[in-house]
Amino acid sequence: MITIVDYGMGNIKSVENAFNFLGIETHSTSDPNELEKSSKLIIPGVGSFKKAMDNLSTLGIKPILNEQVIVNQKPILGICLGMQLMAELGEEDGITSGLGWIKGQVKKLRLNNTNLKAPHIGFNGTYYNQNNSMMFNGLNEITDFYYVHSYSIINTDSEIAHTIYGSKIVAAIEKNNIWGCQFHPEKSQTNGLSILKNFANL
Amino acid sequence: MVKKRLIFTYLFDGENCMLSRNFRLQKVGTVDWIKKHYSFDSIAFSIDELILINVSRNEDKINQFCDVITNLSRFFLMPIAAGGNVRSFEDAKAILRSGADKIILNTPLFNDRELVKKLINSFGSQCIVASIDYLKQNGDTNIYINNGKDKLDLNIYDGIRFVLKQNVGEIYLTSIEKDGTGMGFDIDVLKNAVTQSSVPIIASGGAGDFYHIADCFTKTGTSAVSTANLFNFLGNGLYETRKYLTDNGLNMAKWTY
């Protein structure tokens, strides 16, 4: 059973709808006991890094996630802010510690010397770097996915895909059982559905 | 580089989908009726985003509007922005819980900035689409609120600046004059708006055919173009539009059907 972590942020319904379309069952919860029983986890997320980490703490979800993901090595997929939380820290509204599962920091997109609009909104060509990536299995080397964000992960060694908006942006990370996408697979038409299917098939 | 976005807008009054011309509304049918007569698939696989606007002139239609969002979000696996008549934090929360990803705010931008601030603090800038409606009269472009009823003493460019200061994520700019006429977009205003805005702009009002849409992209540089003209883009209309845009050098996202 795929469990979507409900920590009060992110559009859980979209993720449910997308898996539903694929005929794959999911359920969402904030209950630590239920999270323990899941076979795979998804962390969605839209909004403030600081608020997200506060919510995870307040709801008592943080220790369970650490146990399930790091100790028990359960497959987990972080989407957008959900992926960013996996980094060491975020710099929105001061510095907040992240979950620290992967190297890297979350900083504002650098668009200063460009005419580019912010946030980065829309489909963008995504290049995956590694041939043995399970996340992008079955997809072309360059695939369009939907992005909507103002911050991104930098200085990570877990990057497996990038996109370009002003400069290179980390599009996805993969580190053993830990997957993350900056883009929204649940909002990226059939391209995104492939990613979700690959996750479900792990 | 980020691709251009083709957006379809559905206008709803309760459970009824509406057609608009200069902001005067005409009933088309319920979601079930639309499903029966206009394939959702041909729309859903041809566009990048969906916009749903509650155009009800009665304030108590929010529940029905949320039902529509829940219903449609099952078929449209893409970003969905919804709003119109949002007057409280609870309205916005209900809309997001129903399946929308972004909230569209219009009147509150000008008369309830506290609400806008609260929503941005809770959900983030990228969750808020600022909808601005304007009318060109006697050489002036004035902003209108409350479903196009009340004229503000604010021209479009001052209005954009005013809205940008509130940290919104995008601007959905609608020409009341061009709305529903099918005679093309307001190229001049859109071009200037794009230059003056630091956030993406979604052009709205006037799409009659795919030439208008292509024209809007190439002449104004806007990030996205929206049409609410259900009749003009019947059947394969949106699919043909997307193909025309791609064939004519516009950078559009690609996916398999």
Side-chain angles (χ1 to χ4, degrees), chain B residues 236-252:
Chain B
N236 273 340
L238 287 166
Y239 172 81
E240 297 295 333
T241 298
R242 197 176 191 86
K243 189 168 181 300
Y244 180 80
L245 295 173
T246 309
D247 290 348
N248 282 275
L250 282 159
N251 209 2
M252 307 298 294

Side-chain angles (χ1 to χ4, degrees), chain A residues 11 13-14 17-18 21 47 51 117-125 144 146 148 164-166 186-187 189-191, chain B residues 1-3 5 44-45 47-49 73 77-79 99-102 169-170 194 197-199 253-256:
Chain A
N11 191 348
K13 221 179 178 123
S14 320
N17 283 339
F21 192 86
K51 186 163 186 258
K117 313 293 184 191
H120 174 208
I121 303 181
F123 279 86
N124 204 339
D144 296 328
Y146 188 84
V148 52
I164 301 176
Y165 192 63
E186 78 284 12
K187 308 233 139 268
Q189 295 273 4
T190 51
N191 296 338
Chain B
M1 199 36 69
V2 80
K3 317 273 160 131
R5 292 175 279 153
F45 290 117
I47 59 174
D48 300 279
E49 295 191 35
S73 64
L77 300 179
M78 62 183 63
D101 303 285
K102 310 183 216 178
E170 291 173 275
V194 168
S197 174
S198 51
V199 308
K254 292 195 175 78
W255 50 75
T256 51

Side-chain angles (χ1 to χ4, degrees), chain B residues 4-255:
Chain B
K4 296 294 184 185
R5 292 175 279 153
L6 177 63
I7 300 181
F8 192 76
T9 296
Y10 277 114
L11 306 171
F12 277 92
D13 181 346
E15 58 172 7
N16 294 312
C17 179
M18 313 294 282
L19 215 54
S20 172
R21 188 186 170 104
N22 304 125
F23 280 37
R24 281 191 298 273
L25 303 170
Q26 192 192 340
K27 179 174 152 185
V28 173
T30 62
V31 169
D32 285 335
W33 186 90
I34 293 173
K35 236 190 270 178
K36 204 164 152 205
H37 293 86
Y38 302 103
S39 153
F40 273 171
D41 279 2
S42 62
I43 295 178
F45 290 117
S46 307
I47 59 174
D48 300 279
E49 295 191 35
L50 184 69
I51 288 181
L52 302 175
I53 303 184
N54 178 5
V55 294
S56 167
R57 270 45 169 164
N58 291 324
E59 279 177 28
D60 60 359
K61 296 265 182 93
I62 181 97
N63 289 332
Q64 287 175 304
F65 183 58
C66 286
D67 285 344
V68 166
I69 299 172
T70 304
N71 198 343
L72 291 177
S73 64
R74 278 201 283 264
F75 301 92
F76 289 83
L77 300 179
M78 62 183 63
I80 299 177
N85 282 336
V86 174
R87 295 290 176 265
S88 69
F89 190 82
E90 286 64 42
D91 286 347
K93 228 173 148 190
I95 286 174
L96 290 172
R97 257 192 269 114
S98 302
D101 303 285
K102 310 183 216 178
I103 300 283
I104 302 176
L105 298 173
N106 188 324
T107 303
L109 294 166
F110 302 98
N111 71 6
D112 192 356
R113 281 152 62 193
E114 273 309 306
L115 174 61
V116 180
K117 199 165 163 200
K118 197 174 174 199
L119 290 171
I120 290 184
N121 283 341
S122 290
F123 305 116
S125 286
Q126 49 265 57
C127 218
I128 305 296
V129 178
S131 163
I132 302 178
D133 304 324
Y134 72 94
L135 192 60
K136 251 187 196 160
Q137 286 163 321
N138 308 319
D140 283 325
T141 52
N142 285 107
I143 292 184
Y144 278 70
I145 57 172
N146 282 321
N147 293 307
K149 267 196 323 257
D150 302 327
K151 179 175 166 176
L152 293 183
D153 187 18
L154 197 60
N155 80 50
I156 183 67
Y157 306 113
D158 289 337
I160 289 174
R161 265 187 289 274
F162 181 78
V163 157
L164 286 175
K165 284 207 203 110
Q166 297 178 58
N167 259 325
V168 299
E170 291 173 275
I171 294 177
Y172 180 73
L173 192 57
T174 304
S175 159
I176 299 176
E177 188 197 357
K178 298 283 190 183
D179 172 54
T181 60
M183 298 199 344
F185 290 85
D186 184 351
I187 300 293
D188 290 334
V189 166
L190 283 166
K191 194 162 163 210
N192 291 332
V194 168
T195 311
Q196 296 190 22
S197 174
S198 51
V199 308
I201 292 200
I202 304 168
S204 159
D209 54 39
F210 52 56
Y211 297 114
H212 293 141
I213 295 180
D215 218 38
C216 187
F217 276 125
T218 50
K219 294 203 175 126
T220 72
T222 192
S223 306
V225 167
S226 164
T227 179
N229 204 322
L230 191 61
F231 291 149
N232 280 15
F233 294 91
L234 287 177
N236 273 340
L238 287 166
Y239 172 81
E240 297 295 333
T241 298
R242 197 176 191 86
K243 189 168 181 300
Y244 180 80
L245 295 173
T246 309
D247 290 348
N248 282 275
L250 282 159
N251 209 2
M252 307 298 294
K254 292 195 175 78
W255 50 75

